[in-house]
Amino acid sequence: YAARGIRRAPLFALVSVLSIAIGVGATTAIVTLANTLLFSAPPGTGDPDRIVVIGSTRNGQGFDNFSYPTFLDYRGAKSVPAMSAVQVETRDVSLGGPSGGEAIKATIVSGNFFSVLQTRPALGRFFVPDEDATPGGGANPAVVLSHRFWRTRFESDPSLIGRTIALNGSPFTVVGVATEEFNGPFVIAPHVWVTTMASTRVGMSEQLFRARNAVWIMGVGRLAPDVSLSEAQAELSGIAARARQLHPNMNQGHGVAVHPATLLPGQLRTVASAFMAMLFVIAALVLVIASTNVAGMLLARATARRREIAVRLAIGASRSRLISQLVTESLMLFAVAGVAGLLLAKWLVAGLLVLVPRLPVQLVVDARMAWPVFLFALGASVIAGVGAGLVPAIQASKPQLVPALKLGDAGGLARHQRLRGALLVAQITFSMLLLVVGGLMARALTKAQAIDPGFNPRGVVLASLNLELANYDSLRGRPFMSTLIERAEALPGARSAATAAMIPVDGGGLGLGGVQVAGRQPPEGGDGWDEDWNVVSPAYFETLQIPIVRGRAFTDADRTGRADVTILNETFARTLFPSEDAVGKVIRNGERTLTVIGIAKNGKYRTLGERPRNYIYVPISQWYFERLTLFVREDGNSQRRELGGGTWERDRGCGVDARDSASRGGARSRVADPAAQGAG
């Protein structure tokens, strides 16, 4: 009967279904993404509920990388007997081919990585212990390919197993191909996996395996049977405490955190959780508004059916039966809307993933609607249906029979009008709430645009390069960078050009070890002050229009063989020399002595919303860095197309990539020794 009644009011049914479908679809789409990114274990793994991710904390906060010696400490934990080292950020490597080098992404893992995750190869085999036992990975280092890379780059050639490919000019033997659903434990998917020991052939320094202050990996482990997450946390915390006692200068303030394995590790999960929660609240408000709207229409429909309802009551229908009938009609509407909402959610998720900007890393998100998502959609539809249908049903089941049969129930109409007014007020209230939230967000974005970042980004174009992909050392890399800058400055429409290791406000930081000042004790008893670094060419400050408030900028004379120099930002200068002029002062970084030649204006370095941060610049001619970004400032009187019209000569295999500017974002890496600068 409910179905026939709805069929007789097609316009009412269509409007109701569409209204609820939008709310259910929006909330279900957010739940789908949240379930995939925040709560689901990595796909393609065995017994995924027992997999955990181990990271480091600083004074009990955060979730970051730790060093390889620290990994060796943790690997002895009985609560996590199977533990693998994983570099979360993929590493640029060059795949050799007939036409030159091709930049691909590699993940550095310990040899037991695949066995810890209990995944099986689609072809060949995975690493064996001997392949991760000696630096260099032995005479024939092994490499495992992702299924997608094997399919797209090698056309699913099964004869590839056992053959050799060149990574950064070194031969690697392809031993296996992962399954299609397995792309690693995190959302960032590599093209290939290389063992930790073999990573020295693709640019990693051997010192990283000895330096306790070089943080670059996380741990992925499997809990022992009948061991809880809290028990593993307690045991690893004890190991971390003993490490702090044995190495106080290296581990001051460092702890350990154990989390269930999800696609987003550490602080990425925290940020994503907050963003998803905000989106869910907004989508839930849309569902509430839609439900209120439908409730108002149901009440209006019940008013139009008051004579029918009165006849039902007059011939003996109970109020409970009548309410059940009316609620059944609303539940049918919401059930159809729920199904439509699921379809809409599927399209919304696909659309949102398409809108993700092109990034320098592969993001693999298989956002499937698992059973928790279906249960949520069902529950949301039922609750919204009962909530929207029950109040109108109760109100409609209390007519005055004689006036209603005569179509003259003025009192009933007045009651309906009051309830409809209340529903309208609620709908307007929630709508205004959404408008206010939207206005506040727009205002926040406007204020963010007004924040002074400390540099002028307008008219600056970027191109990121990785010289180690072509096996450029400092002897070849420095002349290449000088020539690159000269040719960029000679392009039509270019005013100035410079290179730097870090891009401002890209979310990440670079660490090259602590800074010490003679006669001053670093805070918290550490080995130096907490600061971010950047390695820049002389014209960097001119190109980004960063003012030098005292002293001078770098020049071509600040090169290898001359005294080491540095430029501090205002905050770091006040921190190190609170009552003195920092220009001319001397600071130390390990065995190197640096003279402060200038003070740069404060800026924003990781995010626009950050507090003042200690920052230090050093010249690239004295601190060679393979991974760099070219900054070119356009002439204000020229058009952007003129700069693009110049001739850019790409050096074969160098990995020029205008999209690589964000590859250094995320977890901070600190490397004290100059020989290991590229590790972060």
Side-chain angles (χ1 to χ4, degrees):
Y1 184 86
R4 291 197 300 270
I6 292 173
R7 190 168 62 247
R8 286 195 297 268
L11 183 60
F12 160 75
L14 180 63
V15 173
S16 300
V17 168
L18 288 179
S19 299
I20 300 304
I22 291 173
V24 172
T27 52
T28 304
I30 301 304
V31 170
T32 301
L33 289 174
N35 180 66
T36 301
L37 295 174
L38 306 177
F39 304 108
S40 297
T45 58
D47 197 9
D49 294 338
R50 305 296 295 171
I51 302 175
V52 293
V53 181
I54 300 102
S56 70
T57 61
R58 182 77 173 181
N59 298 321
Q61 303 295 321
F63 192 89
D64 211 335
N65 297 320
F66 48 77
S67 66
Y68 191 80
T70 302
F71 163 71
L72 297 180
D73 294 340
Y74 294 158
R75 196 168 60 176
K78 295 181 180 179
S79 57
V80 192
M83 186 184 301
S84 172
V86 183
Q87 188 177 28
V88 178
E89 295 181 14
T90 53
R91 184 173 183 80
D92 293 321
V93 298
S94 176
L95 174 66
S99 59
E102 173 187 347
I104 64 173
K105 300 291 184 179
T107 291
I108 310 302
V109 298
S110 56
N112 63 340
F113 171 73
F114 296 100
S115 62
V116 169
L117 294 177
Q118 293 183 4
T119 184
R120 297 180 179 277
L123 199 67
R125 62 171 178 83
F126 289 141
F127 301 128
V128 295
D130 290 344
E131 292 167 339
D132 193 36
T134 58
N140 297 302
V143 63
V144 174
L145 310 184
S146 72
H147 196 278
R148 176 183 297 183
F149 184 57
W150 172 64
R151 185 183 67 248
T152 57
R153 178 62 176 78
F154 297 100
E155 299 178 347
S156 303
D157 183 6
S159 66
L160 186 66
I161 302 300
R163 285 164 49 187
T164 298
I165 61 174
L167 300 180
N168 282 23
S170 297
F172 280 75
T173 301
V174 178
V175 298
V177 176
T179 58
E180 188 170 4
E181 64 270 18
F182 180 80
N183 289 282
F186 307 121
V187 69
I188 301 176
H191 296 101
V192 299
W193 288 274
V194 175
T195 64
T196 51
M197 291 301 170
S199 66
T200 57
R201 294 178 180 253
V202 292
M204 302 289 281
S205 170
E206 287 190 27
Q207 184 174 349
L208 291 176
F209 300 99
R210 300 186 297 271
R212 191 167 284 272
N213 59 341
V215 295
W216 58 286
I217 58 175
M218 285 186 183
V220 175
R222 183 172 293 276
L223 295 175
D226 301 325
V227 171
S228 66
L229 194 70
S230 59
E231 291 172 333
Q233 174 71 61
E235 183 182 9
L236 289 171
S237 296
I239 295 175
R242 290 192 293 271
R244 287 195 298 270
Q245 295 177 350
L246 294 173
H247 310 280
N249 292 333
M250 302 294 183
N251 294 293
Q252 187 65 34
H254 286 277
V256 64
V258 184
H259 292 169
T262 58
L263 291 180
L264 291 178
Q267 294 179 344
L268 289 177
R269 190 173 189 268
T270 303
V271 174
S273 298
F275 184 63
M276 292 287 182
M278 180 191 70
L279 291 181
F280 180 80
V281 169
I282 293 174
L285 284 175
V286 172
L287 178 58
V288 170
I289 293 171
S291 300
T292 307
N293 184 42
V294 173
M297 290 191 295
L298 287 171
L299 185 61
R301 190 164 183 263
T303 302
R305 296 169 62 187
R306 62 188 184 278
R307 187 176 185 185
E308 172 199 340
I309 293 172
V311 169
R312 286 175 175 273
L313 291 172
I315 62 177
S318 65
R319 285 190 63 201
S320 61
R321 184 175 180 84
L322 184 60
I323 291 173
S324 298
Q325 176 65 45
L326 296 176
V327 171
T328 298
E329 294 181 13
S330 68
L331 282 176
M332 286 194 66
L333 285 173
F334 278 76
V336 175
V339 174
L342 282 173
L343 296 176
L344 180 61
K346 186 176 181 179
W347 296 333
L348 284 174
V349 169
L352 288 173
L353 294 179
V354 169
L355 291 176
V356 173
R358 192 175 183 184
L359 299 174
V361 294
Q362 291 189 114
L363 298 183
V364 177
V365 181
D366 187 11
R368 298 180 180 179
M369 291 187 179
W371 64 266
V373 177
F374 283 105
L375 289 179
F376 169 82
L378 175 63
S381 301
V382 170
I383 292 173
V386 172
L390 188 59
V391 174
I394 293 175
Q395 186 71 21
S397 66
K398 297 186 297 182
Q400 297 180 12
L401 290 182
V402 174
L405 291 172
K406 295 179 179 181
L407 296 180
D409 187 9
L413 288 176
R415 290 196 302 273
H416 285 200
Q417 291 293 340
R418 288 195 296 270
L419 183 56
R420 289 176 64 184
L423 291 174
L424 183 61
V425 169
Q427 188 174 351
I428 294 175
T429 300
F430 287 119
S431 299
M432 288 300 299
L433 177 61
L434 280 182
L435 287 174
V436 170
V437 170
L440 291 175
M441 291 181 66
R443 182 182 178 186
L445 290 174
T446 302
K447 283 192 172 183
Q449 289 181 328
I451 294 175
D452 180 12
F455 63 94
N456 182 11
R458 298 185 182 277
V460 178
V461 294
L462 312 178
S464 292
L465 304 92
N466 190 341
L467 302 185
E468 69 178 352
L469 300 187
N471 289 330
Y472 273 32
D473 56 14
S474 59
L475 294 178
R476 298 175 64 195
R478 286 194 176 98
F480 174 85
M481 287 187 288
S482 298
T483 303
L484 178 68
I485 293 174
E486 291 175 4
R487 294 187 180 183
E489 289 178 333
L491 288 173
R495 180 191 301 179
S496 63
T499 58
M502 298 301 298
I503 300 173
V505 292
D506 75 338
L510 174 68
L512 299 180
V515 168
Q516 300 87 29
V517 177
R520 295 203 59 199
Q521 182 66 29
E524 301 178 0
D527 61 340
W529 275 264
D530 185 26
E531 75 290 324
D532 279 354
W533 292 65
N534 204 351
V535 185
V536 303
S537 65
Y540 176 78
F541 299 96
E542 174 191 354
T543 301
L544 289 188
Q545 297 181 0
I546 301 175
I548 301 295
V549 296
R550 289 195 304 279
R552 65 173 178 87
F554 298 130
T555 67
D556 292 334
D558 300 318
R559 60 180 184 270
T560 302
R562 301 289 183 89
D564 288 336
V565 295
T566 184
I567 294 175
L568 309 178
N569 74 339
E570 295 172 293
T571 297
F572 202 19
R574 286 193 298 266
T575 300
L576 295 180
F577 307 100
S579 58
E580 305 173 74
D581 186 359
V583 176
K585 299 296 183 182
V586 173
I587 62 177
R588 296 188 63 83
N589 170 247
E591 300 298 323
R592 302 183 71 158
T593 301
L594 296 79
T595 301
V596 180
I597 62 169
I599 308 299
K601 179 185 175 182
N602 278 346
K604 302 296 183 181
Y605 305 105
R606 295 195 181 192
T607 65
L608 284 176
E610 69 184 9
R611 295 180 178 179
R613 181 183 295 275
N614 295 335
Y615 210 78
I616 178 171
Y617 302 90
V618 290
I620 201 166
S621 295
Q622 295 180 342
W623 300 68
Y624 176 71
F625 208 88
E626 311 90 345
R627 292 173 294 159
L628 53 93
T629 298
L630 175 69
F631 299 79
V632 182
R633 176 166 292 280
E634 298 174 313
D635 190 336
N637 297 321
S638 66
Q639 298 296 323
R640 180 176 295 272
R641 64 176 182 273
E642 293 181 354
L643 183 60
T647 300
W648 291 79
E649 181 174 321
R650 173 168 179 160
D651 195 291
R652 179 173 295 181
C654 283
V656 180
D657 186 357
R659 295 173 288 105
D660 195 41
S661 60
S663 63
R664 290 174 295 277
R668 176 186 175 116
S669 298
R670 299 186 59 86
V671 183
D673 187 81
Q677 290 174 15

